[in-house]
Amino acid sequence: MAAMNNCAAIATAVALVFLFLAGVPEPSFAALVKEQGPVLEYHNGTVLKGEVTVNLVWYGKFTAAQRSIIVDFLQSLKSEGNVPAPSVGSWWKTTEKYKGGGGAATLVVGKQIMDESCSLGKSLKDEQIEELAGKGGRGGACVNVVLTDKDVFVDGFCRSRCGTHASTGAGENRVAYAWVGNSEAQCPGQCAWPFHQPIYGPQTPPLVAPNGDVGVDGMIINLATVLAGTMTNPFKNGYFQGPATAPAEAVSACTGMFGSGSYPGYPGQVLVDKTTRASYNAHGAKGRKFLLPAMWDPEKSACATLV
């Protein structure tokens, strides 16, 4: 599976702290960005385009409010002209710059399968995530997304990943799927940062979550990451950097970047709601606000933030 993790960002942040404590002059963050900028190679494989149905498998007891935040985000991906700038839709529009013909994929919310009783238990391995994803079906162009609640443990969750995407089947029956977990009770410092203090590095005050739910607002960041990876590298032969088994992809190559001036441990300058003091960088459907990570722009060969 293509795993997204913060190991490189964490290691860099820790190294900077040690340099500071040792009295070594702090390096220029602008220089760091230039030296470490990712370059994603196109491996001549599939890039998903056109209308893609996103089927959701809710595993655990998500509240109606939590489900609406995630569904509203997915619906926001195609709402570029109907909401104020910067918008979720304009963020997603960057994916149309990836080769494969056509514009950005248009994501449409399809089936929603509820499994509140956790039929496979509360400790899942990759093969069980794949089994759950299969409940979304295989018909047409679709991506099945498994969302696990805060009391569900998934192999590798928190230790090395906050979400993943992969595929099942072969040929015309090949279907992409993804998984994202709610980290609120398990590792918010890793998978819900910057809405929670980080596990490592500078202990700066966390940002206020734009939808009032640290776990679910963190899931939005990770869902955005795996969806961008799924569209641009669904079958491990699209856009990525590094080994195909553990690639840096459209968004995971830009870990920890949300606004201008960002560097490891600092999310950058983002927008702040004057009333709630919540931090965000994108407007979405139904008046929602979201904080979305930077995405690698193929035309600029650089990670691009919305603000």
Side-chain angles (χ1 to χ4, degrees):
M1 282 189 174
M4 46 173 289
N5 61 68
N6 298 325
C7 294
I10 292 171
T12 304
V14 172
L16 292 174
V17 173
F18 284 145
L19 288 174
F20 173 77
L21 294 176
V24 178
E26 186 177 36
S28 166
F29 289 114
L32 280 176
V33 172
K34 290 179 181 178
E35 292 174 5
Q36 298 180 353
V39 177
L40 305 191
E41 181 182 352
Y42 180 46
H43 297 266
N44 301 312
T46 301
V47 175
L48 297 183
K49 298 288 185 177
E51 185 171 286
V52 178
T53 299
V54 179
N55 300 310
L56 302 175
V57 179
W58 301 95
Y59 195 79
K61 294 184 178 180
F62 287 90
T63 67
Q66 290 175 323
R67 295 196 301 271
S68 68
I69 294 171
I70 291 176
V71 171
D72 287 348
F73 164 68
L74 292 172
Q75 293 178 336
S76 299
L77 292 170
K78 59 179 181 179
S79 302
E80 182 187 2
N82 301 324
V83 296
S87 68
V88 175
S90 63
W91 176 84
W92 186 249
K93 191 176 177 64
T94 301
T95 62
E96 76 177 22
K97 300 179 182 180
Y98 289 72
K99 294 178 182 178
T106 301
L107 302 190
V108 179
V109 178
K111 295 183 289 186
Q112 297 191 51
I113 296 96
M114 309 293 293
D115 191 343
E116 292 188 340
S117 63
C118 296
S119 60
L120 299 182
K122 292 191 175 183
S123 183
L124 305 176
K125 296 186 179 299
D126 288 346
E127 53 267 28
Q128 292 170 306
I129 293 294
E130 182 177 343
E131 180 181 345
L132 288 170
K135 293 184 177 183
R138 295 175 178 270
C142 71
V143 175
N144 299 324
V145 179
V146 178
L147 302 165
T148 53
D149 201 6
K150 60 186 177 182
D151 60 347
V152 176
F153 296 86
V154 176
D155 191 31
F157 188 29
C158 298
R159 296 197 307 274
S160 61
R161 58 186 184 175
C162 304
T164 56
H165 74 87
S167 63
T168 183
E172 295 182 356
N173 294 320
R174 202 169 192 180
V175 176
Y177 68 91
W179 156 75
V180 171
N182 185 335
S183 66
E184 179 187 349
Q186 297 183 51
C187 57
Q190 180 173 336
C191 294
W193 184 84
F195 303 128
H196 190 281
Q197 287 185 303
I199 299 175
Y200 306 103
Q203 296 299 297
T204 53
L207 304 183
V208 177
N211 294 286
D213 190 314
V214 169
V216 174
D217 277 303
M219 289 181 78
I220 295 296
I221 294 172
N222 299 320
L223 180 58
T225 301
V226 298
L227 282 178
T230 301
M231 295 302 114
T232 59
N233 187 34
F235 307 131
K236 298 183 180 179
N237 57 7
Y239 280 87
F240 64 89
Q241 180 186 56
T245 53
E249 298 177 322
V251 174
S252 60
C254 306
T255 298
M257 301 175 66
F258 298 92
S260 59
S262 59
Y263 55 81
Y266 172 59
Q269 297 180 8
V270 297
L271 304 175
V272 178
D273 186 283
K274 294 181 179 179
T275 302
T276 65
R277 307 308 299 168
S279 295
Y280 69 100
N281 60 8
H283 294 272
K286 300 179 182 178
R288 294 276 190 192
K289 295 175 180 177
F290 300 98
L291 185 68
L292 301 181
M295 188 187 302
W296 189 75
D297 187 323
E299 295 180 355
K300 300 177 180 178
S301 290
C303 292
T305 60
L306 283 172
V307 296

